[in-house]
Amino acid sequence: AILTTLPLLQACGGAGAWEGTITDSAGIAVVHNTATPIWRSGEEWTVSEDLRIGTVAGDPEYQFGQIIPVGSIDVDSHGNIYVMDLQAQEARVYDSQGQYLRTIGGPGQGPGEFSQQAAFIFTDNEDRVLVPDLGLQRVSMFGPDGAPAGSFPIQIQAGVPARWQVDARGRNMAQLRGLPVEGVASLDEGDPIVVYDTTGAVVDTVALLPKGQTLEELSQERLSIVVFAPEPVWDLDETGAVHYAMNDDFRILVNGPDGNLTRIITRDVEKKPVTEAEQNAILRLMREQYAEFGLPTGQIETIMQGIGFAETYPAFGLLFTGPRESLWVQRIQSAEDMAEGSDEEVEFDPQALGSPEWEVFDNEGRWMGVVTLPDRFAPVKVDGDHIFGVWSDELDVQYVMRLQVNFPT
């Protein structure tokens, strides 16, 4: 196809000129960003905390055991906040001011009850509540009042749902991941993002994510683990379009709601090497964690022999679609970044890989600048100009936090 390069030098909302290019390739917009963002000093978006739900001690309805930082918080059309507590095996509902309203579900296997693998919660466009439960292999449904409203099955033979989302049209979507175990598809071509109907049948595929490379089957008994290996990341925007990428390359693809590729967003990023000291710190941490789990020494050594490392850190961490049709992409912080200025031995938790700094792109894929979120905050849900997420204090106590995104006038 003939490529036509279109330099865009116009200002965006009074901000500075964009220095990148957009190339049209057979109807697909290929956006290349330079190292210069659109925002100039004073034009940046900022965030401020405007709600925190949780407590260290006191009312148990405000204490959280374990909220995973993906798909665990949602907001209905009235602004009510839904939180899935994996440890308590229940969902709690709060109003827009953070006041407790009710609890949905509880431990068990009966209608409206959850296993210890019920970690996600969503509300659809009719304010029905959906809770995928891998342990019970079903999606439990509830009415807006929290009353059980049936369920539909999760067919893991086609792949294990690794992440769920519901789009603005109420379509139930999941990323399916293959596993090298009997009874589950291997999905060698990649991880499809599929659409379910309310019977549990797959009715559409909206994207095919490249296959993650962290786990590799060495034999029927052993798996290889490659730390920092490329993995797929994705999110839906409010129209149902899918933004997805492999995190080893800053190349983000956008499929429209119909599943057709419409845009590719790129930016040159220098990836950081994983040093030997960092590898040793991670191996030491993993060995300690396996010992805490009570694994025998021989089994720990067998596992450790199968652990390797990518040569570099990923190009970025996670991504999510934000206010005003924006796209937020998380920067990476290495162990040396976090230990900068310290004389102590490198200590590094791979779960802390993502930086509080997020690069923000507009609805055309142009890099506007960087927004810094609070330390120890994991974004989960965007609703209007608010970002809901899980924040942990110095004692690792979890809270639900709502941030207001502030736009300069």
Side-chain angles (χ1 to χ4, degrees), residues 10-296:
Q10 72 270 27
C12 177
W18 182 63
E19 299 178 0
T21 60
I22 295 182
T23 301
D24 181 85
S25 175
I28 300 169
V30 181
V31 186
H32 179 71
N33 290 277
T34 67
T36 303
I38 291 175
W39 290 335
R40 301 297 181 255
S41 179
E43 299 169 342
E44 305 92 342
W45 294 358
T46 60
V47 297
S48 55
E49 178 186 342
D50 76 347
L51 180 67
R52 186 184 302 187
I53 306 172
T55 183
V56 176
D59 192 336
E61 293 164 342
Y62 292 89
Q63 294 183 43
F64 299 112
Q66 183 182 8
I67 312 171
I68 69 166
V70 180
S72 55
I73 301 171
D74 207 356
V75 183
D76 68 16
S77 63
H78 302 287
N80 295 321
I81 304 163
Y82 294 74
V83 184
M84 190 71 209
D85 190 322
L86 183 64
Q87 181 174 301
Q89 294 173 243
E90 64 185 26
R92 298 190 202 131
V93 188
Y94 305 85
D95 68 16
S96 60
Q97 303 305 309
Q99 296 299 308
Y100 170 78
L101 297 177
R102 58 183 170 273
T103 295
I104 297 175
Q109 300 183 6
E113 295 178 331
F114 308 132
S115 77
Q116 292 181 330
Q117 297 185 50
F120 304 95
I121 189 166
F122 303 100
T123 60
D124 66 12
N125 54 355
E126 298 179 10
D127 283 343
R128 292 176 298 191
V129 182
L130 295 89
V131 178
D133 189 332
L134 281 181
L136 299 179
Q137 296 187 27
R138 71 187 184 197
V139 176
S140 295
M141 298 184 291
F142 303 85
D145 60 354
S151 64
F152 62 86
I154 298 174
Q155 306 288 353
I156 64 170
Q157 295 85 354
V160 176
R163 181 181 174 187
W164 294 77
Q165 280 200 253
V166 176
D167 73 1
R169 290 186 284 171
R171 297 188 300 174
N172 307 311
M173 297 184 181
Q175 170 193 350
L176 300 185
R177 169 150 293 187
L179 290 178
V181 298
E182 185 177 354
V184 179
S186 61
L187 298 178
D188 294 330
E189 295 182 359
D191 293 4
I193 300 176
V194 300
V195 181
Y196 293 101
D197 65 16
T198 53
T199 70
V202 173
V203 296
D204 199 4
T205 299
V206 296
L208 180 64
L209 306 178
K211 192 176 183 66
Q213 299 176 28
T214 298
L215 295 178
E216 180 182 351
E217 185 178 16
L218 297 178
S219 68
Q220 290 184 344
E221 295 81 23
R222 292 184 59 197
L223 290 175
S224 167
I225 301 174
V226 181
V227 181
F228 304 135
E231 284 292 326
V233 292
W234 64 283
D235 196 18
L236 298 175
D237 68 18
E238 59 186 17
T239 71
V242 183
H243 298 65
Y244 62 104
M246 288 293 277
N247 63 2
D248 65 327
D249 186 18
F250 208 111
R251 185 174 183 271
I252 300 166
L253 284 64
V254 183
N255 283 15
D258 58 2
N260 293 323
L261 180 63
T262 62
R263 181 177 292 114
I264 300 173
I265 303 168
T266 68
R267 193 169 98 72
D268 293 333
V269 175
E270 184 177 352
K271 293 189 289 185
K272 302 172 182 178
V274 183
T275 68
E276 183 178 354
E278 291 168 333
Q279 294 182 25
N280 291 335
I282 294 168
L283 291 172
R284 183 170 59 251
L285 174 68
M286 297 176 75
R287 191 183 298 273
E288 291 172 355
Q289 290 179 338
Y290 290 137
E292 289 176 2
F293 292 153
L295 295 183

Side-chain angles (χ1 to χ4, degrees), residues 295-309:
L295 295 183
T297 301
Q299 187 175 353
I300 293 176
E301 292 306 316
T302 299
I303 295 174
M304 299 303 293
Q305 290 173 11
I307 296 176
F309 291 85

Side-chain angles (χ1 to χ4, degrees), residues 323-362:
R324 301 190 178 183
E325 301 180 55
S326 59
L327 173 66
W328 298 47
V329 183
Q330 187 180 34
R331 286 180 168 176
I332 290 296
Q333 55 184 356
S334 69
E336 291 187 351
D337 292 336
M338 289 183 282
E340 188 174 356
S342 172
D343 296 330
E344 297 179 2
E345 185 180 11
V346 173
E347 293 289 344
F348 184 54
D349 181 355
Q351 301 300 319
L353 178 66
S355 165
E357 295 182 341
W358 294 73
E359 299 191 0
V360 182
F361 298 78
D362 67 13

